[in-house]
Amino acid sequence: MNTERYQRQIILGGFGIESQQRLTEAKVLVIGAGGLGCPALQYLVAAGVGCIGIADHDVVELSNLQRQVLFGMDDIGLSKVEVAAKRLQQMNPETELILHPILINRTNIIEIISGYDLIFDGTDNFESRYLINDACVLLKKPLVFAAVSGFEGQIAIFNVANEFVISTNYRDLFPVQPVANEIPNCAENGVLGVLPGIIGTMAAGEVIKLLTKIGKPLINKLLHYNLLSQEQYEINISPSDDYQKVTTEAELMNNNIENPIQSYIEIDAERMMELSKKDSTLIIDVRERHEFPRLNAKTFQQVPMSEFDRFASSNIEADHIVLLCQHGIRSVAAAEKLHQRYGDKKRIYSLKGGIAKWRNHFFNLLV
């Protein structure tokens, strides 16, 4: 260990060489090399964490660059994990980087996280969050959780006992896992690019506090941060009995089966336009009324997700129902709602990738 590199933190009162040694000996897994993972990785590497695993199956896209600060234009189309590792190794060659360029799922998560001391969850979907949480509970791994949406962010620490020997996990806070695509992520809601930088850096601070045993980490607490007002507050988390705890690997696998039954058909824009020519087809835009671009009402009926339950309970005469939104996430949730109502009596479709993917097909259909 090159102590000169870490001199500014070693000389801190209450930190010292002992804390630096703890960082050097630590193994941390960062799941998600996106808006939250990028700043967290940068500061954990810079701080001298000895071994860091990076897990992400995705590639760099142009829309990532607004907030995922490890990537540039030349990286578009390349593996996030590999690009991130290259940048991070240049920052600090003393840190060992282990690459996991795969999707973390119920079949591999136990094997992957078992080799790490602490897990950081920087994912952007509920399916992954619950899976990561349940696996950490099963293996008794400390979990630092972070999330952002719009102008707000959250941070919490799970599976770490406080002074009263009480520990909590994500299900104590949110016992019931939402249905897939029920709640929009950042691709749908949007996020100001600086926000994940703030939350990811704060989460990295919590990781460092846990590893070095300094300060007061957010154990059994959820920190909520509002960028617009710079307000933040903490919520105390207490153990709950409102969910079934995972006690075996078999239970973990059964609790996280990914979409075993698909109740809708995902289509491209050309198939959507073919269906639009049929008299028995209804095309529904489930975006909220303030969202752009606005589509021609003669072709697209607007039924925002905030109003969709009432619409779904009504009598729809069309045989074919096509649903679309900005990125193809809310349209999937709407499709599942309609399938619950009509079963196989109607053919239900979702525009895969949404308007953002097929923007050229909508030029002549804008208001």
Side-chain angles (χ1 to χ4, degrees):
M1 176 177 62
N2 185 343
T3 57
E4 182 180 355
R5 175 184 290 273
Y6 313 111
Q7 187 64 21
R8 292 297 186 275
Q9 58 199 44
I10 289 175
I11 63 175
L12 282 169
F15 195 89
I17 193 67
E18 184 177 322
S19 291
Q20 190 62 51
Q21 189 62 40
R22 287 186 179 130
L23 289 180
T24 302
E25 296 170 357
K27 297 186 70 176
V28 175
L29 175 63
V30 175
I31 305 180
L36 292 163
C38 282
L41 283 165
Q42 286 177 293
Y43 280 98
L44 291 176
V45 166
V49 174
C51 177
I52 298 178
I54 314 171
D56 199 311
H57 70 293
D58 220 342
V59 298
V60 179
E61 298 179 1
L62 180 61
S63 61
N64 299 151
L65 305 186
Q66 165 248 17
R67 65 200 176 281
Q68 299 179 19
V69 292
L70 280 173
F71 313 128
M73 289 293 294
D74 292 341
D75 304 318
I76 292 174
L78 302 179
S79 163
K80 286 186 178 180
V81 165
E82 293 179 6
V83 174
K86 181 179 178 181
R87 302 279 192 277
L88 295 169
Q89 207 70 82
Q90 291 172 342
M91 288 176 57
N92 188 355
E94 291 187 357
T95 295
E96 177 189 2
L97 298 175
I98 300 176
L99 310 190
H100 303 281
I102 57 175
L103 176 66
I104 298 291
N105 59 37
R106 57 193 173 90
T107 63
N108 60 28
I109 189 168
I110 295 296
E111 179 182 358
I112 290 174
I113 74 172
S114 60
Y116 294 92
D117 304 319
L118 184 149
I119 313 300
F120 170 71
D121 177 6
T123 59
D124 64 352
N125 65 87
F126 287 98
E127 185 177 359
S128 296
R129 289 171 188 168
Y130 279 89
L131 175 61
I132 294 165
N133 173 80
D134 292 348
C136 287
V137 170
L138 185 60
L139 297 181
K140 298 180 173 56
K141 297 286 184 181
L143 173 62
V144 175
F145 160 81
V148 294
S149 182
F151 301 103
E152 300 179 338
Q154 296 178 336
I155 309 169
I157 294 175
F158 300 120
N159 304 324
V160 178
N162 62 12
E163 65 269 29
F164 304 108
V165 200
I166 296 172
S167 67
T168 57
N169 69 83
Y170 189 67
R171 288 188 185 270
D172 289 314
L173 186 63
F174 303 113
V176 180
Q177 180 174 339
V179 175
N181 302 306
E182 179 181 358
I183 300 175
N185 62 15
C186 288
E188 292 289 297
N189 274 344
V191 64
L192 193 64
V194 69
L195 178 65
I198 295 169
I199 299 299
T201 303
M202 292 172 71
E206 294 301 306
V207 171
I208 291 171
K209 285 157 62 179
L210 280 176
L211 294 175
T212 59
K213 306 182 187 305
I214 65 170
K216 293 174 127 183
L218 291 168
I219 297 171
N220 299 338
K221 295 179 183 294
L222 178 77
L223 173 68
H224 186 94
Y225 172 82
N226 186 310
L227 174 65
L228 292 182
S229 63
Q230 291 293 349
E231 292 178 329
Q232 52 184 299
Y233 58 86
E234 293 180 8
I235 299 173
N236 291 319
I237 307 171
S238 300
S240 171
D241 295 321
D242 291 341
Y243 62 92
Q244 183 177 354
K245 293 177 173 61
V246 174
T247 57
T248 67
E249 186 174 345
E251 288 180 4
L252 177 75
M253 296 179 68
N254 290 334
N255 284 343
N256 291 279
I257 297 175
E258 295 105 350
N259 300 324
I261 299 174
Q262 187 161 316
S263 55
Y264 55 90
I265 303 169
E266 287 194 301
I267 58 174
D268 60 21
E270 291 183 3
R271 177 58 176 152
M272 180 192 72
M273 298 314 296
E274 290 176 6
L275 288 167
S276 70
K277 298 173 184 177
K278 296 178 179 288
D279 293 335
S280 59
T281 297
L282 176 64
I283 304 181
I284 302 172
D285 178 1
V286 301
R287 297 174 302 154
E288 299 302 315
R289 299 189 187 279
H290 64 270
E291 294 186 56
F292 288 90
R294 290 180 177 163
L295 303 180
N296 192 320
K298 292 180 179 180
T299 305
F300 304 92
Q301 179 176 339
Q302 189 167 29
V303 183
M305 283 301 290
S306 58
E307 306 169 19
F308 200 81
D309 285 344
R310 185 173 61 226
F311 172 79
S313 64
S314 66
N315 184 29
I316 302 174
E317 295 182 358
D319 296 325
H320 300 271
I321 306 171
V322 180
L323 300 134
L324 59 89
C325 62
Q326 199 72 11
H327 293 275
I329 297 174
R330 285 170 289 180
S331 58
V332 166
E336 291 175 342
K337 287 178 182 289
L338 288 183
H339 185 266
Q340 292 174 3
R341 169 82 161 84
Y342 292 102
D344 296 328
K345 295 178 181 178
K346 297 185 182 297
R347 300 299 296 273
I348 301 170
Y349 309 86
S350 172
L351 180 63
K352 187 173 184 179
I355 297 170
K357 181 173 182 179
W358 307 101
R359 189 173 294 273
N360 290 344
H361 288 73
F362 288 90
F363 279 150
N364 297 326
L365 299 169
L366 302 180
V367 173

